[in-house]
Amino acid sequence: EVGAPYKVLLVGQRPDDALFLREALAPTAATELVPSLFACDVRRFDELPELSLVDYAAVFLLDPPPLSSRSWNLLREFAEGGGGIGVFLGRNARSNEFNSDEAQQLLPARLRWVSREATYLRPVASEHPALVWLRELSDAPWPEFPVFQSWELEADAKAGDPAPASAAVVATYANGKPALVE
């Protein structure tokens, strides 16, 4: 059985911000050769509060700037209704904005600070749906793709873990710090 591609929303400051993720999800070069699993809609952050998310399977925020309470509430309601949310932090992230009450109703952890400890991604939990596509890259030279800055998360006060107990670490960096958290 072949179904329609999953409709996903990619949100950036400019449409060009979504280029690499859009091409990873639905390569334009393969359009005539292989049906894509995803249909990508690209929008800007200033459009987000007025969008209806009901038709999307997932929403990806690409280096989001500070968002309005209305945007955070819209995203939280979407997630509570079963929609997927991916938040990819970059230079626009501000810990005070992502640690606000509205943002923390959606996000899995509070941001602590930016670490400048060089490391690289080390995906090991390939049974997780977010990483299953990386199984065939198990022998990839991950150290050749360094990460020079990353956000550290506040540790759970009781457990002392690198992420709160309510969050699950899906992938880590080589230094053991969380890279992908749900």
Side-chain angles (χ1 to χ4, degrees), residues 74-131:
L74 178 71
L75 293 166
R76 179 186 46 78
E77 290 169 6
F78 175 71
E80 287 173 351
I85 304 275
V87 182
F88 300 88
L89 301 179
R91 67 179 168 268
N92 291 321
R94 303 289 178 265
S95 61
N96 59 333
E97 300 291 334
F98 284 89
N99 293 339
S100 71
D101 291 340
E102 292 91 357
Q104 285 299 305
Q105 289 180 21
L106 175 69
L107 299 175
R110 296 176 63 82
L111 300 182
R112 189 171 183 188
W113 60 58
V114 173
S115 171
R116 290 181 174 37
E117 176 185 351
T119 187
Y120 57 91
L121 185 64
R122 187 174 54 195
V124 291
S126 61
E127 67 278 353
H128 189 280
L131 300 178

Side-chain angles (χ1 to χ4, degrees), residues 15 19 28 56 61 69 97 114 120 139 152 166 182:
L19 175 66
T28 54
Y56 296 103
L61 306 178
S69 294
E97 300 291 334
V114 173
Y120 57 91
D139 59 347
E152 285 197 22
S166 62
E182 75 173 339

Side-chain angles (χ1 to χ4, degrees), residues 19-106:
L19 175 66
F20 294 117
L21 184 56
R22 189 194 73 223
E23 285 298 313
L25 294 174
T28 54
T31 303
E32 300 295 321
L33 304 172
V34 179
S36 177
L37 295 175
F38 304 98
C40 299
D41 186 10
V42 178
R43 299 296 183 99
R44 294 184 324 268
F45 282 106
D46 60 352
E47 299 175 85
L48 184 59
E50 306 309 319
L51 293 175
S52 170
L53 304 180
V54 70
D55 292 330
Y56 296 103
V59 174
F60 296 96
L61 306 178
L62 309 174
D63 190 15
L67 298 177
S68 67
S69 294
R70 180 172 165 79
S71 292
W72 283 119
N73 290 332
L74 178 71
L75 293 166
R76 179 186 46 78
E77 290 169 6
F78 175 71
E80 287 173 351
I85 304 275
V87 182
F88 300 88
L89 301 179
R91 67 179 168 268
N92 291 321
R94 303 289 178 265
S95 61
N96 59 333
E97 300 291 334
F98 284 89
N99 293 339
S100 71
D101 291 340
E102 292 91 357
Q104 285 299 305
Q105 289 180 21
L106 175 69

Side-chain angles (χ1 to χ4, degrees), residues 144-170:
E144 299 297 320
F145 306 100
V147 173
F148 298 105
Q149 292 187 84
S150 60
W151 278 97
E152 285 197 22
L153 306 177
E154 284 191 6
D156 185 304
K158 296 177 191 163
D161 292 334
S166 62
V169 177
V170 175

